[in-house]
Amino acid sequence: MEHATYQSPDMIPDAARKIQRTQQKQDASLKRLQYLVSGTFRPLEILGHEISLDAENTAAQRYMEILLDCHLLLLNLPTQVNQMRTNLAFQAINPAFYNTASPPETYYVMPITEFQSAVARQVNTAQIFRKTTNKLFRRRFGQSSQQSESSSSATPPQFFRAGPSSQQGGFHNNNNRTSGANHFAQKGNTNNPFRKQTQH
């Protein structure tokens, strides 16, 4: 333990050139956590080795199983830290990118070639999505603009009838009103049994 050394892996160079200041601070914190967690495994390994040397201990097998469970539980922490650092590297390239690998590949540090291939695939996917979205946008709003232009160039609907009201069955002039009055006056001289006849 005295001469054991461990260095947490650095960020992938492609991402380190584009990383922002806040992301850089977060990656440095995760890198420090990786270093601290690594120190917990070595004592467990030494303890397991000492137990295995005690051949007279009948409970050695049970102790080794307990140490194995503790080892697996502790492995979850560096695995998650490693995955968080990998996602930070993808987000340094594009905030929408992330690690698409599945376990057990996420348990280990991603090689540079695999990182570059994953970035290239996500870039192609983003370009295809952008082109498809632009086509649908132009198709949808282009048709609506053409319809609006055609409707604006067409003859607007007439809300009032063309021509004077006299052509539409209305009253022509005051003469019509006079003739109408005479007409009703003449009709008043009918044989209406309920109306008193005028004496001539």
Side-chain angles (χ1 to χ4, degrees), residues 21-166:
R21 184 179 298 272
T22 55
Q23 293 174 332
Q24 189 175 7
K25 292 181 179 180
Q26 186 176 358
D27 183 72
S29 299
L30 294 174
K31 183 178 179 180
R32 176 64 179 173
L33 184 58
Q34 275 183 321
Y35 174 77
L36 295 175
V37 171
S38 65
T40 61
F41 291 97
R42 189 59 178 171
L44 293 176
E45 294 173 355
I46 294 176
L47 178 59
H49 177 69
E50 294 295 330
I51 294 175
S52 64
L53 294 178
D54 189 2
E56 297 179 358
N57 189 354
T58 56
Q61 182 65 29
R62 185 166 64 88
Y63 294 157
M64 294 296 292
E65 292 177 355
I66 294 174
L67 287 176
L68 178 61
D69 293 338
C70 294
H71 193 273
L72 293 176
L73 290 174
L74 288 173
L75 276 176
N76 290 327
L77 179 57
T79 299
Q80 291 297 321
V81 173
N82 179 68
Q83 189 170 359
M84 292 171 67
R85 293 193 66 194
T86 305
N87 285 327
L88 270 177
F90 278 100
Q91 293 172 5
I93 304 298
N94 190 316
F97 291 175
Y98 60 94
N99 186 14
T100 58
S102 57
E105 285 79 6
T106 56
Y107 297 161
Y108 311 101
V109 178
M110 178 176 287
I112 297 178
T113 54
E114 293 184 9
F115 177 81
Q116 293 173 346
S117 300
V119 169
R121 288 194 300 269
Q122 297 192 42
V123 168
N124 293 333
T125 302
Q127 291 177 351
I128 294 173
F129 177 78
R130 190 181 302 110
K131 290 180 181 179
T132 304
T133 304
N134 292 337
K135 288 181 180 179
L136 293 176
F137 182 85
R138 289 195 300 267
R139 183 182 303 174
R140 179 178 180 182
F141 291 94
Q143 291 179 355
S144 61
S145 61
Q146 291 177 0
Q147 292 176 358
S148 61
E149 290 177 358
S150 62
S151 61
S152 61
S153 61
T155 304
Q158 296 183 356
F159 297 97
F160 300 97
R161 293 173 295 189
S165 59
S166 59

